[in-house]
Amino acid sequence: MSRALCVLIITALLTALCLCGVTGEIFRNAGFEAPLGPDNWYCSSCTGEQYGNDKVEGAVSMRATQRRGAWSGPSYDLAYGSDVTSDRTYDFQIYLQLMAGGDVKHPVKVTVQTTFSDGETIHRQIATLSAVSQTDGWKQIAATWTVPVYDRSVTSMRLYVEGPPHEIDLLVDRSSLTEAGVGTVDTLATGSELLSNPGFESLLDFWQCSGCTGVYFTADSYSGSSCMLAQDRSASWAGPSQNLAWGSKVKGGHSYQFSIQVKFLDGGSTPYQLMAKLHVTFSDGTSDVWLHVAGSWVSAQDGWKKLSGDYTIPDYGTTVSNIRLFLEGPPGEIRFLVDDASFKEFASPTEWRAEADARIEQIRKRDVKLRINTPNPHGITVEIAQTRSHFAFGTAVRASEMPSNSLYTDFFFDNFEWAVLENDLKWRQNERNEGQLRFDLADAAIQLLESQGIPMRGHCVFWGAGVSHVPTWLHAYSGSELEQKCWKRVDDVVGRYAGRLQHWDVNNEMLHGNYFVERTGNPQIRYDMFQKVKEKDPGAKLFLNDYGVINSGTMTQAYVHQAEEFLANGAPVDGMGVQGHFTGRPDPALLKSRLDLLATPSLPIWVTELTVEEPDELERAGGYEDAMRVAFSHPAVEGVLLWGYWDGAHYNPQCALANGDNVQANEAGRRWRQLVFTDWRTNLSLHQGTITSAGQEFKFRGFHGNYEVKVKLHGQVAATKTFYLSPGDGTMVVDIDMPNDIIVG
């Protein structure tokens, strides 16, 4: 074999390995750059071939042609027990394009086929796009998939892409399967890629280096075989750029998501801000506009780091002559690499909702088998009532209203299952004068909530976002004296309620102020606060909590950086609290995108302060529904709490769910109740089960939470059973014995 041929083969293999994606990639040949075959991607009941005329990245994609049916398509055999394991969660993605059909819409599904040792085969859909056409171009399908716990031996497991009519050829590219929290599935919007040469594989075609020298760089890359080096930068504003086509690719009033991998080559451990901006030039000679799309602090020691953000571009009409994407920020002497850029429009609202509902069905429900054990299985029916949700649906309450206003209190207990006190656990309210502690309002409210079994969040131990949020007498202290006052505060409030509250917001809104760091001169105090609270109340989960982080893509990135910083410094952070204060109806696609990014530190997310300010009650109801559906359909989110519900005790009555002296639900309140207690609750009457040797079995799929089952014999209650349906994809078996007339278990 010639030396040149050896080099060519080695280069191809390295390229294929690079294109497999991020660390922890399970798919072999994830980028379809190596030959297709039975040990990686192949075509099930179709012909699969590498296709070089259209791809997302790299040199080729995979084409599925001569499909025998709608169920035929690209397939991958997973080694159960090594590739994937029961009760573990995986992130999946693949990009797909239809090659025929014009603008006619077709469903596309990703299905896992599992075959057992007894010969039975089951199919489970893990991802879907409800309506895809040829004119859509490349579309991304992504999902989070938990492998069930099976009660028998698995002999084979196959994942495949299916759905469109058999006469339509499919293209697929850029696949990925990683264990959740290990890899980083691309969570970009599902529209076509709007950047040309986004992977910098075709030299530097379509890219320029404004105020710098751009180099086609092959000695290092994030994926593929090459990237772009920006060097000889004349100033901080100098960096890579690309023109975008206004009116055809980019349109006013539309929302887009941007991401790029970056790596600084200079500067050591010193962080510098890197920003992505859109420069809009107008044909009528008016001033140019710079739109800030994304920003993050990056240092050379970070290695490759993802910069991402989103932006809704204003509707400038036809007056735009040019729009250009720029990267800029660090000092001119800093060289940096860029790779894997992306700029895409978000999916349509109709498509988004269908995908959200599919995720809810997958991640918020579980299969149940009720086994009614009785010698007489005939004439049996069951009534299933869900009594509580596993997911937290709650609200902030005003402590002064809880014991005294029965209408306010009754509305709470009728509609919510979690609570947080608005103000009465804050330092300024608890200790207006030094040494004079006041907890009477908090004590009464907490005792009432506890008596009804309501779990609570503690908000908040500290609030260092500005001088107005701490007691005025505290300004007289600084340095170590102030630190001692802080530790006394932990003793006073956390010690008082230790073991009674499930969560604590430790230091509220640190993205917006550093009072305690500035006054003590000790940056470590931020992390020490978490340690002190954990020592005082080890059973409580401790949260960061901030506003703006799901209202702005730039703030989202900053919050992720803060969470990673706290974890790296040993702070016992258990979750990320995200406030969601929206003026007008939120954009669900943008909201999901930001939650995707917030999930990257692998911490649970709670939406802690949801409000939708909207004078029109119908629009307000729609805004709450959109925000709740996004949160409930996201696997990282564990709860949603409103920031108040009655216009008589709300900082902004245009956010309320109930109005008037009688605390009557408005349309937003009725929508909340419909979602929480009807749409996302399981209440069933089952009349036909399967007769077995032990009695009769009934199967259903229900939302996670608490249940009560009543077994009826010829219409009369013969037994009752309560059980808790915990998250998990394996079927939960519930046994109900009926040797006697009535059994309560």
Side-chain angles (χ1 to χ4, degrees):
M1 184 181 294
S2 69
R3 180 179 179 181
L5 182 57
C6 288
V7 171
L8 181 61
I9 292 173
I10 292 170
T11 301
L13 289 172
L14 290 174
T15 299
L17 289 171
C18 289
L19 285 167
C20 283
V22 296
T23 303
E25 179 59 63
I26 294 169
F27 285 148
R28 296 170 292 281
N29 196 19
F32 307 94
E33 300 299 306
L36 307 175
D39 63 338
N40 61 79
W41 282 99
Y42 66 99
C43 216
S44 177
S45 297
C46 53
T47 300
E49 60 185 18
Q50 290 180 301
Y51 188 74
N53 294 335
D54 197 354
K55 63 272 185 184
V56 175
E57 65 181 8
V60 296
S61 59
M62 175 182 176
R63 179 175 181 174
T65 186
Q66 299 178 24
R67 299 170 58 234
R68 292 174 54 189
W71 45 268
S72 305
S75 300
Y76 192 99
D77 288 335
L78 293 166
Y80 178 78
S82 57
D83 285 346
V84 295
T85 306
S86 282
D87 209 26
R88 290 192 179 179
T89 301
Y90 299 88
D91 291 325
F92 165 81
Q93 77 164 26
I94 197 167
Y95 283 77
L96 175 138
Q97 183 174 179
L98 306 189
M99 299 192 70
D103 59 1
V104 178
K105 300 289 187 180
H106 302 284
V108 176
K109 298 176 286 185
V110 177
T111 302
V112 173
Q113 173 187 295
T114 305
T115 303
F116 301 96
S117 56
D118 60 5
E120 183 182 359
T121 297
I122 62 172
H123 295 79
R124 176 150 192 180
Q125 183 179 312
I126 67 168
T128 183
L129 292 177
S130 59
V132 183
S133 70
Q134 181 185 12
T135 56
D136 291 333
W138 285 101
K139 303 282 285 184
Q140 184 212 39
I141 310 177
T144 299
W145 168 48
T146 300
V147 180
V149 176
Y150 297 112
D151 56 2
R152 49 197 161 153
S153 177
V154 174
T155 57
S156 67
M157 182 175 285
R158 186 179 73 186
L159 179 148
Y160 57 96
V161 182
E162 61 173 331
H166 67 90
E167 62 269 18
I168 296 180
D169 290 355
L170 307 179
L171 290 182
V172 290
D173 202 0
R174 200 176 185 178
S175 67
S176 180
L177 183 67
T178 59
E179 189 169 353
V182 176
T184 53
V185 167
D186 185 357
T187 55
L188 296 177
T190 57
S192 301
E193 179 58 64
L194 301 181
L195 291 175
S196 299
N197 190 21
F200 303 92
E201 298 297 314
S202 302
L203 299 178
L204 297 184
D205 295 346
F206 304 101
W207 289 94
Q208 295 181 3
C209 209
S210 301
C212 53
T213 301
V215 177
Y216 180 68
F217 197 72
T218 58
D220 190 6
S221 62
Y222 180 77
S223 72
S225 58
S226 57
C227 61
M228 178 179 182
L229 166 64
Q231 64 180 17
D232 304 325
R233 299 173 57 242
S234 58
S236 61
W237 52 264
S241 65
Q242 183 175 141
N243 278 326
L244 297 167
W246 179 264
S248 58
K249 287 188 174 183
V250 180
K251 302 174 183 178
H254 291 227
S255 298
Y256 298 86
Q257 187 177 57
F258 164 80
S259 70
I260 195 167
Q261 295 288 343
V262 298
K263 183 178 181 179
F264 284 8
L265 300 183
D266 306 296
S269 61
T270 304
Y272 299 102
Q273 190 173 31
L274 181 69
M275 295 171 287
K277 295 182 178 180
L278 292 173
H279 182 213
V280 184
T281 305
F282 299 96
S283 55
D284 59 5
T286 55
S287 299
D288 298 351
V289 171
W290 289 89
L291 308 176
H292 187 100
V293 177
S296 183
W297 291 87
V298 183
S299 72
Q301 72 176 14
D302 293 334
W304 284 103
K305 186 171 183 178
K306 188 174 184 178
L307 174 70
S308 62
D310 51 62
Y311 200 86
T312 301
I313 298 176
D315 191 355
Y316 297 119
T318 59
T319 62
V320 175
S321 60
N322 186 62
I323 183 168
R324 190 172 185 84
L325 175 70
F326 280 87
L327 263 73
E328 61 177 65
E333 62 270 17
I334 302 296
R335 300 169 300 155
F336 60 89
L337 304 175
V338 291
D339 201 359
D340 278 13
S342 183
F343 193 85
K344 296 185 178 182
E345 185 174 356
F346 283 104
S348 68
T350 302
E351 187 174 86
W352 165 83
R353 178 162 178 155
E355 292 175 358
D357 287 341
R359 288 194 302 274
I360 289 171
E361 178 67 24
Q362 177 192 356
I363 67 174
R364 302 298 178 192
K365 300 176 80 174
R366 185 176 179 184
D367 294 325
V368 179
K369 181 191 292 184
L370 299 177
R371 296 196 301 207
I372 315 300
N373 302 315
T374 176
N376 181 17
H378 301 286
I380 291 177
T381 61
V382 294
E383 301 290 332
I384 299 163
Q386 186 176 357
T387 57
R388 189 179 184 87
S389 297
H390 169 79
F391 190 90
F393 292 108
T395 183
V397 296
R398 190 161 292 180
S400 59
E401 298 286 342
M402 285 304 290
S404 59
N405 187 338
S406 62
L407 293 175
Y408 177 87
T409 303
D410 290 345
F411 190 94
F412 171 85
F413 288 122
D414 287 343
N415 290 279
F416 304 103
E417 296 178 337
W418 270 75
V420 57
L421 302 190
E422 281 184 344
N423 295 309
D424 289 274
L425 288 179
K426 294 175 180 175
W427 197 352
R428 188 179 177 91
Q429 280 74 11
N430 294 153
E431 196 173 4
R432 291 191 178 276
N433 299 307
E434 185 176 6
Q436 298 179 14
L437 300 177
R438 180 181 177 183
F439 291 102
D440 55 321
L441 290 176
D443 284 346
I446 290 173
Q447 184 176 359
L448 176 61
L449 292 164
E450 280 182 321
S451 71
Q452 299 298 314
I454 300 295
M456 287 166 279
R457 305 188 75 250
H459 178 80
C460 50
V461 185
F462 302 102
W463 191 2
V467 296
S468 62
H469 302 310
V470 300
T472 54
W473 57 264
L474 201 64
H475 304 329
Y477 296 97
S478 61
S480 60
E481 283 188 305
L482 178 55
E483 287 190 42
Q484 294 308 309
K485 299 299 177 183
C486 289
W487 309 147
K488 182 179 181 300
R489 162 64 177 168
V490 173
D491 291 340
D492 289 340
V493 67
V494 181
R496 185 182 189 90
Y497 299 107
R500 300 173 66 186
L501 306 184
Q502 281 66 35
H503 297 174
W504 283 105
D505 292 330
V506 176
N507 188 358
N508 200 38
E509 299 174 355
M510 285 184 285
L511 287 176
H512 298 86
N514 288 299
Y515 176 86
F516 298 103
V517 171
E518 294 166 359
R519 294 288 297 172
T520 63
N522 178 17
Q524 181 67 28
I525 194 172
R526 296 173 297 167
Y527 318 126
D528 292 344
M529 287 174 168
F530 278 80
Q531 293 287 359
K532 295 288 187 180
V533 174
K534 181 62 77 173
E535 291 169 6
K536 186 60 64 174
D537 193 357
K541 293 183 178 180
L542 308 188
F543 279 72
L544 299 165
N545 192 56
D546 226 304
Y547 71 88
V549 296
I550 51 175
N551 299 82
S552 160
T554 302
M555 288 294 294
T556 306
Q557 184 79 56
Y559 197 38
V560 169
H561 178 75
Q562 182 183 83
E564 293 171 340
E565 173 195 343
F566 271 68
L567 292 172
N569 282 275
V573 179
D574 298 307
M576 299 172 70
V578 297
Q579 302 174 24
H581 299 291
F582 296 97
T583 301
R585 192 165 178 168
D587 185 317
L590 290 179
L591 183 53
K592 180 187 180 295
S593 164
R594 291 160 189 168
L595 288 173
D596 287 342
L597 182 56
L598 288 168
T600 55
S602 298
L603 288 171
I605 297 171
W606 284 63
V607 181
T608 54
E609 302 182 17
L610 177 61
T611 59
V612 177
E613 180 186 353
E614 176 57 64
D616 185 310
E617 288 185 6
L618 285 173
E619 278 296 297
R620 190 188 312 168
Y624 277 115
E625 178 174 355
D626 287 347
M628 291 170 64
R629 194 176 299 275
V630 172
F632 194 53
S633 69
H634 200 284
V637 179
E638 295 185 349
V640 173
L641 277 69
L642 306 179
W643 199 247
Y645 55 92
W646 177 43
D647 64 357
H650 204 298
Y651 79 94
N652 187 337
Q654 291 189 355
C655 302
L657 272 66
N659 301 113
D661 294 341
N662 292 326
V663 195
Q664 291 294 310
N666 56 34
E667 181 57 32
R670 290 188 288 272
R671 192 76 58 88
W672 168 278
R673 186 163 184 84
Q674 172 70 30
L675 291 170
V676 174
F677 293 95
T678 301
D679 295 357
W680 298 335
R681 284 283 176 100
T682 301
N683 295 284
L684 300 169
S685 296
L686 303 181
H687 297 276
Q688 290 185 340
T690 301
I691 302 297
T692 68
S693 59
Q696 193 168 175
E697 292 182 353
F698 294 85
K699 296 179 181 180
F700 71 95
R701 185 167 175 82
F703 286 100
H704 306 144
N706 298 81
Y707 283 81
E708 181 181 75
V709 177
K710 292 182 179 180
V711 181
K712 294 183 177 180
L713 182 60
H714 302 298
Q716 300 299 313
V717 176
T720 64
K721 181 83 170 184
T722 60
F723 69 94
Y724 178 68
L725 181 57
S726 60
D729 242 355
T731 299
M732 182 175 183
V733 178
V734 179
D735 283 295
I736 304 176
D737 298 322
M738 292 178 53
N740 303 312
D741 292 334
I742 299 176
I743 299 175
V744 178

